[in-house]
Amino acid sequence: MKVLTVVGARPQFIKLAPVSRYLRRWHREVLVHTGQHYDDNLSEVFFRELEIPAPDYNLGVGSGTQGRQTGEMMIRLEEVLEREAPQAAIVYGDTNSTLAGALVAAKRHVPLLHVEAGLRSGNRAMPEELNRVLTDHVSDILCCPTETALRNLAREGLTRGAHLTGDVMYDAVLHNAGIARQRSGILARLGLEVKGYLLATIHRAENTDDPARLRGIVAALNALPGPIALPLHPRTRKVLAQQGLALAAHVLVLEPVGYLDMLALEMNARLILTDSGGVQKEAYFLAVPCVTLRDETEWVETVEAGWNTLAGAETQRILAAASASGAAPRAPAAGGATLFGDGRAHVKIVDLLAEVG
Ligand code: UD1
Ligand code: UDP
């Protein structure tokens, strides 16, 4: 079968890797990169490290407002779909690249498979929430990473084509954690000791685009005991400079790092503070306590298991959650194997293509 895959942003390259490797054993994949992320350390590094074949198309859409970025993607994707006439299309996650791919495929009646279907935060102010809901409602095969996701879809009447596959990010961690242990030298490079530092990431629009929230988070990082490694998304770097917000010397501000360095930083951290979806899950897979700098999470299982605490963006709440996280009672993190699948989500997903083939 000829399968057209659309990706464009950092977490999608990581989700794509295990699926693409297996898919190409059975099908012909036409890989489209929308160009949503274009810096080497947000895009190319993942293709190199995860040995993802070069995209067949890079649409070079780049940054822009929500409407312009999504619209440009749709215009250029439609031409590719017309030329390639695939038998199925695959989209991942909840970015603007996901929504553009989903709308164009659905309107051209190309059977659509959504990897990471059914996630909900309940917060429609997030662009990602709109992208998820709309993508799920035009998809033919809905690949849910968790039971919660499957239930969320049922609540919206989406049961046909919905399957529990497990989470491809768990597959990716199983495949790459050992490689990261062997190859990454980032701790030595930064002078960090195993379990002797914290790791933080901040990039979600609800935090970067709200000055009070961003100030609250920065004040918390400045007050926490260091060192804190902070690989910084360019969006956040820009806003910090615009707002004149300074980070204390114990916060090591880094360029975004590659996946193997990120896994090494995660697995050796004492605590992770993040507003990233993927990083919350990886903290759980790697048995590292996590404080989530958001008011809600799609990954409720990690909170219920005691490994993740929702702290929002208020300084005192973040500090309290960070100091309590060492003592929180937890289910064994090996629960990753059941709550997020068995490491073979990529196989189940590719097998599901038979439903439309
Ligand atoms: C996007 C996704 C978000 C995901 C994140 C992963 C949407 C709506 N959001 O957010 O769900 O968690 O990717 O990292 O799709 N920029 C660069 N270089 C790049 C790319 C972006 O400097 O290669 C800067 C630009 O100033 C740009 C800003 O980052 O305006 C935001 O980029 P964009 O892709 O629009 O959204 P993300 O915040 O990356
Ligand atoms: N990640 C990375 N380098 C970084 C920050 C994150 O490789 O500097 C990885 C991280 O390990 C996870 C994914 O990127 O696999 C998460 O992406 P991101 O936080 O950008 O988006 P989200 O998951 O919130 O959509």
Side-chain angles (χ1 to χ4, degrees):
M1 189 190 296
K2 189 198 252 193
V3 181
L4 187 129
T5 296
V6 181
V7 289
R10 170 168 68 188
Q12 294 173 323
F13 311 135
I14 293 158
K15 293 166 199 178
L16 165 72
V19 179
S20 178
R21 197 180 312 121
Y22 187 70
L23 178 87
R24 285 170 189 247
R25 283 167 57 177
W26 314 101
H27 302 289
R28 161 134 189 259
E29 182 173 49
V30 177
L31 185 57
V32 184
H33 186 326
T34 61
Q36 177 170 352
H37 283 178
Y38 42 87
D39 289 348
D40 183 273
N41 57 22
L42 287 180
S43 175
E44 187 58 35
V45 65
F46 300 99
F47 286 78
R48 284 196 302 271
E49 287 189 345
L50 297 169
E51 296 174 357
I52 305 168
D56 298 283
Y57 297 88
N58 189 321
L59 305 180
V61 166
S63 307
T65 61
Q66 296 290 316
R68 178 175 290 278
Q69 188 183 52
T70 313
E72 275 299 334
M73 287 175 191
M74 288 183 67
I75 292 167
R76 299 180 199 187
L77 274 169
E78 192 169 53
E79 288 169 17
V80 176
L81 254 81
E82 200 173 330
R83 188 167 329 128
E84 293 289 344
Q87 275 106 33
I90 304 184
V91 294
Y92 290 82
D94 54 17
T95 72
N96 290 345
S97 300
T98 315
L99 179 62
L103 289 177
V104 171
K107 289 211 171 205
R108 291 193 65 85
H109 311 132
V110 176
L112 177 65
L113 185 153
H114 183 202
V115 176
E116 209 175 78
L119 274 292
R120 296 290 183 268
S121 67
N123 177 0
R124 288 266 173 122
M126 295 173 73
E128 292 88 351
E129 183 78 351
L130 297 172
N131 293 342
R132 292 177 193 128
V133 171
L134 295 167
T135 299
D136 284 340
H137 282 260
V138 294
S139 293
D140 301 283
I141 306 176
L142 296 145
C143 299
C144 296
T146 60
E147 300 257 9
T148 308
L150 201 62
R151 276 198 301 276
N152 289 340
L153 291 181
R155 211 174 297 126
E156 293 172 23
L158 296 176
T159 49
R160 237 181 87 222
H163 301 269
L164 181 63
T165 57
D167 194 326
V168 290
M169 289 193 87
Y170 183 50
D171 301 9
V173 166
L174 288 183
H175 187 85
N176 289 292
I179 300 174
R181 248 177 232 114
Q182 282 176 355
R183 292 199 201 149
S184 171
I186 191 155
L187 262 67
R189 229 165 35 244
L190 298 176
L192 297 172
E193 284 176 18
V194 172
K195 300 295 162 186
Y197 66 94
L198 315 186
L199 171 68
T201 76
I202 320 157
H203 79 282
R204 197 137 310 278
E206 73 208 52
N207 286 329
T208 59
D209 297 0
D210 180 332
R213 289 183 71 94
L214 193 60
R215 258 199 316 277
I217 293 170
V218 167
L221 295 182
N222 286 344
L224 279 165
I228 304 176
L230 178 68
L232 206 53
H233 192 291
R235 152 183 226 124
T236 319
R237 192 181 281 272
K238 272 181 208 154
V239 181
L240 287 175
Q242 278 161 12
Q243 310 263 330
L245 287 171
L247 286 152
H250 68 266
V251 183
L252 310 176
V253 180
L254 313 172
E255 289 294 319
V257 297
Y259 183 57
L260 298 178
D261 280 346
M262 188 63 182
L263 285 180
L265 283 173
E266 287 173 342
M267 67 177 76
N268 293 305
R270 196 165 66 234
L271 171 73
I272 294 176
L273 300 111
T274 191
D275 59 10
S276 157
V279 176
Q280 286 175 63
K281 285 187 289 179
E282 288 163 354
Y284 176 73
F285 301 152
L286 297 166
V288 179
C290 182
V291 170
T292 292
L293 307 168
R294 291 184 49 199
D295 299 325
E296 69 276 317
T297 180
E298 300 78 28
W299 305 105
V300 289
E301 295 79 3
T302 60
V303 176
E304 286 158 8
W307 287 89
N308 189 5
T309 310
L310 283 179
E314 227 176 82
T315 309
Q316 289 313 319
R317 247 184 94 197
I318 297 169
L319 295 178
S323 69
S325 67
R330 298 178 194 116
T338 50
L339 296 176
F340 292 87
D342 58 4
R344 289 173 61 78
H346 58 286
V347 173
K348 295 187 185 119
I349 288 165
V350 172
D351 287 352
L352 282 169
L353 282 170
E355 285 200 353
V356 294

mmCIF file of all heavy atoms in Angstrom, residues 75-113:
data_model
loop_
_atom_site.group_PDB
_atom_site.id
_atom_site.type_symbol
_atom_site.label_atom_id
_atom_site.label_comp_id
_atom_site.label_asym_id
_atom_site.label_seq_id
_atom_site.Cartn_x
_atom_site.Cartn_y
_atom_site.Cartn_z
ATOM 1 N N ILE A 75 -2.566 24.128 1.607
ATOM 2 C CA ILE A 75 -2.416 24.417 0.175
ATOM 3 C C ILE A 75 -1.337 23.518 -0.435
ATOM 4 O O ILE A 75 -1.534 22.890 -1.466
ATOM 5 C CB ILE A 75 -2.047 25.903 -0.024
ATOM 6 C CG1 ILE A 75 -3.227 26.798 0.375
ATOM 7 C CG2 ILE A 75 -1.609 26.176 -1.466
ATOM 8 C CD1 ILE A 75 -2.884 28.276 0.521
ATOM 9 N N ARG A 76 -0.188 23.447 0.289
ATOM 10 C CA ARG A 76 0.930 22.676 -0.282
ATOM 11 C C ARG A 76 0.699 21.162 -0.171
ATOM 12 O O ARG A 76 1.101 20.402 -1.037
ATOM 13 C CB ARG A 76 2.233 23.097 0.396
ATOM 14 C CG ARG A 76 2.506 24.583 0.162
ATOM 15 C CD ARG A 76 3.777 25.067 0.807
ATOM 16 N NE ARG A 76 3.742 26.527 0.920
ATOM 17 C CZ ARG A 76 4.740 27.280 1.317
ATOM 18 N NH1 ARG A 76 5.884 26.721 1.638
ATOM 19 N NH2 ARG A 76 4.611 28.583 1.400
ATOM 20 N N LEU A 77 0.021 20.748 0.913
ATOM 21 C CA LEU A 77 -0.250 19.311 1.081
ATOM 22 C C LEU A 77 -1.221 18.791 0.028
ATOM 23 O O LEU A 77 -1.103 17.660 -0.451
ATOM 24 C CB LEU A 77 -0.860 19.050 2.458
ATOM 25 C CG LEU A 77 0.122 18.846 3.602
ATOM 26 C CD1 LEU A 77 -0.607 18.868 4.943
ATOM 27 C CD2 LEU A 77 0.857 17.517 3.431
ATOM 28 N N GLU A 78 -2.170 19.628 -0.321
ATOM 29 C CA GLU A 78 -3.170 19.189 -1.301
ATOM 30 C C GLU A 78 -2.500 18.830 -2.627
ATOM 31 O O GLU A 78 -2.843 17.824 -3.260
ATOM 32 C CB GLU A 78 -4.203 20.290 -1.504
ATOM 33 C CG GLU A 78 -5.414 19.819 -2.273
ATOM 34 C CD GLU A 78 -6.526 20.860 -2.228
ATOM 35 O OE1 GLU A 78 -6.250 22.039 -2.574
ATOM 36 O OE2 GLU A 78 -7.639 20.501 -1.850
ATOM 37 N N GLU A 79 -1.501 19.643 -2.996
ATOM 38 C CA GLU A 79 -0.781 19.349 -4.257
ATOM 39 C C GLU A 79 -0.062 18.014 -4.166
ATOM 40 O O GLU A 79 -0.039 17.236 -5.120
ATOM 41 C CB GLU A 79 0.243 20.456 -4.550
ATOM 42 C CG GLU A 79 -0.409 21.752 -4.988
ATOM 43 C CD GLU A 79 0.578 22.916 -5.006
ATOM 44 O OE1 GLU A 79 1.809 22.677 -5.001
ATOM 45 O OE2 GLU A 79 0.095 24.070 -5.005
ATOM 46 N N VAL A 80 0.543 17.747 -3.002
ATOM 47 C CA VAL A 80 1.283 16.488 -2.838
ATOM 48 C C VAL A 80 0.312 15.303 -2.879
ATOM 49 O O VAL A 80 0.579 14.285 -3.535
ATOM 50 C CB VAL A 80 2.086 16.484 -1.512
ATOM 51 C CG1 VAL A 80 2.761 15.132 -1.302
ATOM 52 C CG2 VAL A 80 3.119 17.602 -1.507
ATOM 53 N N LEU A 81 -0.818 15.436 -2.213
ATOM 54 C CA LEU A 81 -1.788 14.333 -2.212
ATOM 55 C C LEU A 81 -2.312 14.061 -3.610
ATOM 56 O O LEU A 81 -2.504 12.909 -4.007
ATOM 57 C CB LEU A 81 -2.953 14.635 -1.260
ATOM 58 C CG LEU A 81 -2.872 13.820 0.025
ATOM 59 C CD1 LEU A 81 -1.901 14.462 0.995
ATOM 60 C CD2 LEU A 81 -4.227 13.655 0.672
ATOM 61 N N GLU A 82 -2.520 15.138 -4.350
ATOM 62 C CA GLU A 82 -3.008 14.972 -5.717
ATOM 63 C C GLU A 82 -1.975 14.217 -6.553
ATOM 64 O O GLU A 82 -2.301 13.291 -7.281
ATOM 65 C CB GLU A 82 -3.273 16.346 -6.316
ATOM 66 C CG GLU A 82 -4.197 16.309 -7.484
ATOM 67 C CD GLU A 82 -4.566 17.719 -7.928
ATOM 68 O OE1 GLU A 82 -4.597 18.642 -7.094
ATOM 69 O OE2 GLU A 82 -4.795 17.878 -9.132
ATOM 70 N N ARG A 83 -0.716 14.602 -6.395
ATOM 71 C CA ARG A 83 0.343 13.971 -7.188
ATOM 72 C C ARG A 83 0.555 12.523 -6.770
ATOM 73 O O ARG A 83 0.724 11.641 -7.596
ATOM 74 C CB ARG A 83 1.645 14.761 -7.016
ATOM 75 C CG ARG A 83 2.742 14.308 -7.940
ATOM 76 C CD ARG A 83 3.920 15.292 -7.990
ATOM 77 N NE ARG A 83 3.509 16.669 -7.790
ATOM 78 C CZ ARG A 83 4.055 17.497 -6.894
ATOM 79 N NH1 ARG A 83 5.023 17.072 -6.101
ATOM 80 N NH2 ARG A 83 3.644 18.732 -6.781
ATOM 81 N N GLU A 84 0.555 12.242 -5.467
ATOM 82 C CA GLU A 84 0.948 10.914 -4.980
ATOM 83 C C GLU A 84 -0.215 9.923 -4.943
ATOM 84 O O GLU A 84 0.014 8.718 -4.964
ATOM 85 C CB GLU A 84 1.553 11.029 -3.572
ATOM 86 C CG GLU A 84 2.886 11.774 -3.537
ATOM 87 C CD GLU A 84 4.022 10.966 -4.162
ATOM 88 O OE1 GLU A 84 3.857 9.740 -4.331
ATOM 89 O OE2 GLU A 84 5.054 11.570 -4.501
ATOM 90 N N ALA A 85 -1.433 10.406 -4.835
ATOM 91 C CA ALA A 85 -2.623 9.543 -4.742
ATOM 92 C C ALA A 85 -2.402 8.336 -3.821
ATOM 93 O O ALA A 85 -2.468 7.179 -4.258
ATOM 94 C CB ALA A 85 -3.028 9.066 -6.143
ATOM 95 N N PRO A 86 -2.128 8.590 -2.522
ATOM 96 C CA PRO A 86 -1.882 7.472 -1.596
ATOM 97 C C PRO A 86 -3.162 6.714 -1.268
ATOM 98 O O PRO A 86 -4.258 7.251 -1.433
ATOM 99 C CB PRO A 86 -1.342 8.179 -0.350
ATOM 100 C CG PRO A 86 -1.983 9.524 -0.391
ATOM 101 C CD PRO A 86 -2.103 9.901 -1.841
ATOM 102 N N GLN A 87 -2.978 5.461 -0.762
ATOM 103 C CA GLN A 87 -4.152 4.670 -0.353
ATOM 104 C C GLN A 87 -4.533 4.939 1.101
ATOM 105 O O GLN A 87 -5.602 4.566 1.550
ATOM 106 C CB GLN A 87 -3.876 3.178 -0.515
ATOM 107 C CG GLN A 87 -4.144 2.656 -1.907
ATOM 108 C CD GLN A 87 -2.855 2.376 -2.647
ATOM 109 O OE1 GLN A 87 -1.866 1.992 -2.046
ATOM 110 N NE2 GLN A 87 -2.866 2.571 -3.946
ATOM 111 N N ALA A 88 -3.620 5.548 1.861
ATOM 112 C CA ALA A 88 -3.909 5.909 3.252
ATOM 113 C C ALA A 88 -2.973 7.038 3.657
ATOM 114 O O ALA A 88 -1.935 7.244 3.021
ATOM 115 C CB ALA A 88 -3.699 4.707 4.173
ATOM 116 N N ALA A 89 -3.392 7.767 4.703
ATOM 117 C CA ALA A 89 -2.528 8.828 5.244
ATOM 118 C C ALA A 89 -2.425 8.651 6.755
ATOM 119 O O ALA A 89 -3.364 8.160 7.396
ATOM 120 C CB ALA A 89 -3.098 10.205 4.915
ATOM 121 N N ILE A 90 -1.270 9.041 7.304
ATOM 122 C CA ILE A 90 -1.061 8.953 8.759
ATOM 123 C C ILE A 90 -0.656 10.321 9.291
ATOM 124 O O ILE A 90 0.218 10.986 8.713
ATOM 125 C CB ILE A 90 0.055 7.941 9.117
ATOM 126 C CG1 ILE A 90 -0.245 6.562 8.531
ATOM 127 C CG2 ILE A 90 0.240 7.845 10.630
ATOM 128 C CD1 ILE A 90 0.759 5.476 8.920
ATOM 129 N N VAL A 91 -1.295 10.740 10.383
ATOM 130 C CA VAL A 91 -0.874 11.952 11.086
ATOM 131 C C VAL A 91 -0.642 11.607 12.556
ATOM 132 O O VAL A 91 -1.200 10.630 13.068
ATOM 133 C CB VAL A 91 -1.907 13.104 10.956
ATOM 134 C CG1 VAL A 91 -2.018 13.585 9.519
ATOM 135 C CG2 VAL A 91 -3.280 12.693 11.507
ATOM 136 N N TYR A 92 0.176 12.428 13.221
ATOM 137 C CA TYR A 92 0.621 12.157 14.594
ATOM 138 C C TYR A 92 0.301 13.320 15.515
ATOM 139 O O TYR A 92 0.595 14.473 15.186
ATOM 140 C CB TYR A 92 2.141 11.984 14.615
ATOM 141 C CG TYR A 92 2.632 10.724 13.946
ATOM 142 C CD1 TYR A 92 2.796 10.667 12.565
ATOM 143 C CD2 TYR A 92 2.946 9.600 14.707
ATOM 144 C CE1 TYR A 92 3.265 9.507 11.958
ATOM 145 C CE2 TYR A 92 3.406 8.440 14.098
ATOM 146 C CZ TYR A 92 3.560 8.404 12.728
ATOM 147 O OH TYR A 92 4.009 7.258 12.135
ATOM 148 N N GLY A 93 -0.252 13.021 16.680
ATOM 149 C CA GLY A 93 -0.317 14.007 17.754
ATOM 150 C C GLY A 93 -1.308 15.125 17.504
ATOM 151 O O GLY A 93 -2.435 14.880 17.040
ATOM 152 N N ASP A 94 -0.896 16.361 17.770
ATOM 153 C CA ASP A 94 -1.869 17.460 17.880
ATOM 154 C C ASP A 94 -1.332 18.810 17.432
ATOM 155 O O ASP A 94 -1.773 19.848 17.919
ATOM 156 C CB ASP A 94 -2.326 17.565 19.342
ATOM 157 C CG ASP A 94 -1.152 17.707 20.298
ATOM 158 O OD1 ASP A 94 -0.049 18.049 19.839
ATOM 159 O OD2 ASP A 94 -1.334 17.469 21.505
ATOM 160 N N THR A 95 -0.375 18.827 16.531
ATOM 161 C CA THR A 95 0.161 20.128 16.096
ATOM 162 C C THR A 95 -0.624 20.642 14.889
ATOM 163 O O THR A 95 -1.499 19.948 14.346
ATOM 164 C CB THR A 95 1.641 20.023 15.703
ATOM 165 O OG1 THR A 95 1.709 19.326 14.458
ATOM 166 C CG2 THR A 95 2.469 19.288 16.741
ATOM 167 N N ASN A 96 -0.257 21.834 14.450
ATOM 168 C CA ASN A 96 -0.911 22.361 13.250
ATOM 169 C C ASN A 96 -0.633 21.478 12.038
ATOM 170 O O ASN A 96 -1.456 21.387 11.125
ATOM 171 C CB ASN A 96 -0.447 23.806 13.006
ATOM 172 C CG ASN A 96 -1.013 24.749 14.065
ATOM 173 O OD1 ASN A 96 -1.950 24.392 14.790
ATOM 174 N ND2 ASN A 96 -0.459 25.947 14.154
ATOM 175 N N SER A 97 0.525 20.826 12.012
ATOM 176 C CA SER A 97 0.823 19.886 10.916
ATOM 177 C C SER A 97 -0.151 18.713 10.928
ATOM 178 O O SER A 97 -0.541 18.199 9.870
ATOM 179 C CB SER A 97 2.258 19.357 11.038
ATOM 180 O OG SER A 97 3.185 20.409 10.976
ATOM 181 N N THR A 98 -0.546 18.279 12.127
ATOM 182 C CA THR A 98 -1.517 17.180 12.259
ATOM 183 C C THR A 98 -2.854 17.590 11.645
ATOM 184 O O THR A 98 -3.443 16.850 10.837
ATOM 185 C CB THR A 98 -1.759 16.857 13.757
ATOM 186 O OG1 THR A 98 -0.518 16.818 14.447
ATOM 187 C CG2 THR A 98 -2.527 15.569 13.934
ATOM 188 N N LEU A 99 -3.323 18.762 12.039
ATOM 189 C CA LEU A 99 -4.645 19.202 11.575
ATOM 190 C C LEU A 99 -4.645 19.425 10.062
ATOM 191 O O LEU A 99 -5.581 19.006 9.364
ATOM 192 C CB LEU A 99 -5.058 20.496 12.292
ATOM 193 C CG LEU A 99 -6.414 21.049 11.847
ATOM 194 C CD1 LEU A 99 -7.550 20.072 12.142
ATOM 195 C CD2 LEU A 99 -6.695 22.404 12.505
ATOM 196 N N ALA A 100 -3.598 20.053 9.560
ATOM 197 C CA ALA A 100 -3.535 20.310 8.116
ATOM 198 C C ALA A 100 -3.567 18.989 7.353
ATOM 199 O O ALA A 100 -4.329 18.823 6.389
ATOM 200 C CB ALA A 100 -2.276 21.107 7.781
ATOM 201 N N GLY A 101 -2.756 18.023 7.790
ATOM 202 C CA GLY A 101 -2.712 16.715 7.130
ATOM 203 C C GLY A 101 -4.069 16.036 7.180
ATOM 204 O O GLY A 101 -4.544 15.457 6.192
ATOM 205 N N ALA A 102 -4.713 16.116 8.344
ATOM 206 C CA ALA A 102 -5.994 15.429 8.531
ATOM 207 C C ALA A 102 -7.067 16.031 7.625
ATOM 208 O O ALA A 102 -7.805 15.299 6.946
ATOM 209 C CB ALA A 102 -6.417 15.535 9.993
ATOM 210 N N LEU A 103 -7.154 17.348 7.600
ATOM 211 C CA LEU A 103 -8.221 17.990 6.810
ATOM 212 C C LEU A 103 -8.041 17.717 5.323
ATOM 213 O O LEU A 103 -9.001 17.414 4.601
ATOM 214 C CB LEU A 103 -8.245 19.495 7.078
ATOM 215 C CG LEU A 103 -8.747 19.923 8.460
ATOM 216 C CD1 LEU A 103 -8.659 21.437 8.620
ATOM 217 C CD2 LEU A 103 -10.176 19.450 8.703
ATOM 218 N N VAL A 104 -6.806 17.828 4.858
ATOM 219 C CA VAL A 104 -6.573 17.635 3.426
ATOM 220 C C VAL A 104 -6.848 16.183 3.028
ATOM 221 O O VAL A 104 -7.510 15.918 2.020
ATOM 222 C CB VAL A 104 -5.134 18.071 3.041
ATOM 223 C CG1 VAL A 104 -4.810 17.668 1.619
ATOM 224 C CG2 VAL A 104 -4.993 19.582 3.209
ATOM 225 N N ALA A 105 -6.377 15.228 3.840
ATOM 226 C CA ALA A 105 -6.611 13.814 3.515
ATOM 227 C C ALA A 105 -8.109 13.511 3.534
ATOM 228 O O ALA A 105 -8.642 12.888 2.601
ATOM 229 C CB ALA A 105 -5.870 12.921 4.515
ATOM 230 N N ALA A 106 -8.802 13.970 4.585
ATOM 231 C CA ALA A 106 -10.228 13.652 4.706
ATOM 232 C C ALA A 106 -11.021 14.240 3.541
ATOM 233 O O ALA A 106 -11.898 13.585 2.976
ATOM 234 C CB ALA A 106 -10.766 14.168 6.039
ATOM 235 N N LYS A 107 -10.686 15.466 3.157
ATOM 236 C CA LYS A 107 -11.437 16.111 2.068
ATOM 237 C C LYS A 107 -11.169 15.467 0.723
ATOM 238 O O LYS A 107 -11.980 15.572 -0.195
ATOM 239 C CB LYS A 107 -11.100 17.601 2.018
ATOM 240 C CG LYS A 107 -11.688 18.338 3.203
ATOM 241 C CD LYS A 107 -12.048 19.751 2.861
ATOM 242 C CE LYS A 107 -12.830 20.365 3.996
ATOM 243 N NZ LYS A 107 -13.691 21.442 3.540
ATOM 244 N N ARG A 108 -10.027 14.805 0.611
ATOM 245 C CA ARG A 108 -9.735 14.086 -0.639
ATOM 246 C C ARG A 108 -10.122 12.602 -0.522
ATOM 247 O O ARG A 108 -9.765 11.798 -1.376
ATOM 248 C CB ARG A 108 -8.257 14.215 -1.004
ATOM 249 C CG ARG A 108 -7.869 15.631 -1.413
ATOM 250 C CD ARG A 108 -6.505 15.656 -2.064
ATOM 251 N NE ARG A 108 -6.506 14.931 -3.328
ATOM 252 C CZ ARG A 108 -6.859 15.434 -4.502
ATOM 253 N NH1 ARG A 108 -7.226 16.701 -4.581
ATOM 254 N NH2 ARG A 108 -6.828 14.702 -5.587
ATOM 255 N N HIS A 109 -10.824 12.264 0.559
ATOM 256 C CA HIS A 109 -11.314 10.887 0.781
ATOM 257 C C HIS A 109 -10.194 9.863 0.854
ATOM 258 O O HIS A 109 -10.350 8.728 0.407
ATOM 259 C CB HIS A 109 -12.345 10.481 -0.294
ATOM 260 C CG HIS A 109 -13.403 11.517 -0.487
ATOM 261 N ND1 HIS A 109 -13.780 11.961 -1.718
ATOM 262 C CD2 HIS A 109 -14.122 12.226 0.399
ATOM 263 C CE1 HIS A 109 -14.701 12.901 -1.583
ATOM 264 N NE2 HIS A 109 -14.926 13.085 -0.309
ATOM 265 N N VAL A 110 -9.057 10.300 1.384
ATOM 266 C CA VAL A 110 -7.959 9.344 1.625
ATOM 267 C C VAL A 110 -8.153 8.821 3.047
ATOM 268 O O VAL A 110 -8.219 9.613 3.993
ATOM 269 C CB VAL A 110 -6.582 10.043 1.510
ATOM 270 C CG1 VAL A 110 -5.455 9.070 1.861
ATOM 271 C CG2 VAL A 110 -6.390 10.617 0.116
ATOM 272 N N PRO A 111 -8.264 7.487 3.235
ATOM 273 C CA PRO A 111 -8.456 6.942 4.583
ATOM 274 C C PRO A 111 -7.353 7.440 5.516
ATOM 275 O O PRO A 111 -6.168 7.411 5.159
ATOM 276 C CB PRO A 111 -8.370 5.428 4.377
ATOM 277 C CG PRO A 111 -8.746 5.228 2.941
ATOM 278 C CD PRO A 111 -8.254 6.440 2.208
ATOM 279 N N LEU A 112 -7.770 7.890 6.702
ATOM 280 C CA LEU A 112 -6.841 8.598 7.592
ATOM 281 C C LEU A 112 -6.663 7.864 8.914
ATOM 282 O O LEU A 112 -7.639 7.489 9.571
ATOM 283 C CB LEU A 112 -7.413 10.005 7.859
ATOM 284 C CG LEU A 112 -6.628 10.882 8.812
ATOM 285 C CD1 LEU A 112 -5.258 11.233 8.232
ATOM 286 C CD2 LEU A 112 -7.419 12.171 9.115
ATOM 287 N N LEU A 113 -5.399 7.690 9.295
ATOM 288 C CA LEU A 113 -5.064 7.051 10.564
ATOM 289 C C LEU A 113 -4.423 8.101 11.478
ATOM 290 O O LEU A 113 -3.472 8.775 11.075
ATOM 291 C CB LEU A 113 -4.115 5.882 10.302
ATOM 292 C CG LEU A 113 -3.725 4.992 11.478
ATOM 293 C CD1 LEU A 113 -3.377 3.576 10.973
ATOM 294 C CD2 LEU A 113 -2.550 5.550 12.259
#
